[in-house]
Amino acid sequence: EAARDPETNQPLSERQKRLFKVAKLHAAYWLGLASLEQGDFAAAAKHFKKRVLEANPDSPWTHGARSNLARVY
């Protein structure tokens, strides 16, 4: 089933899908940083590795995610 806009219940446009994907990527990076600062290393590693690096290896967050993943380990 196609993703739908929660306000209009209409299928999302390709532009909306791209925007949500980018927003999800940014959120994953920042949640990784927050988890790292809180000492939740398992959650931080999951955000950096799976949700940033594996989901979009050529993103603007790639270098930061790798660096912070190294801090986790």
Side-chain angles (χ1 to χ4, degrees):
E1 181 177 316
R4 296 193 164 289
D5 184 320
E7 291 183 15
T8 65
N9 200 32
Q10 297 295 316
L12 294 176
S13 69
E14 289 304 312
R15 181 173 182 270
Q16 287 172 311
K17 289 177 188 176
R18 284 192 309 271
L19 288 172
F20 285 140
K21 184 177 179 181
V22 169
K24 185 176 176 180
L25 176 68
H26 293 318
Y29 180 80
W30 288 104
L31 286 169
L33 278 180
S35 297
L36 179 61
E37 292 301 316
Q38 291 292 314
D40 188 349
F41 301 118
K46 184 176 180 180
H47 285 294
F48 293 133
K49 185 176 181 189
K50 297 226 179 257
R51 297 183 179 154
V52 177
L53 296 172
E54 291 177 8
N56 195 340
D58 297 323
S59 80
W61 298 115
T62 298
H63 296 297
R66 284 186 185 141
S67 176
N68 285 301
L69 187 57
R71 291 176 61 204
V72 166
Y73 294 128

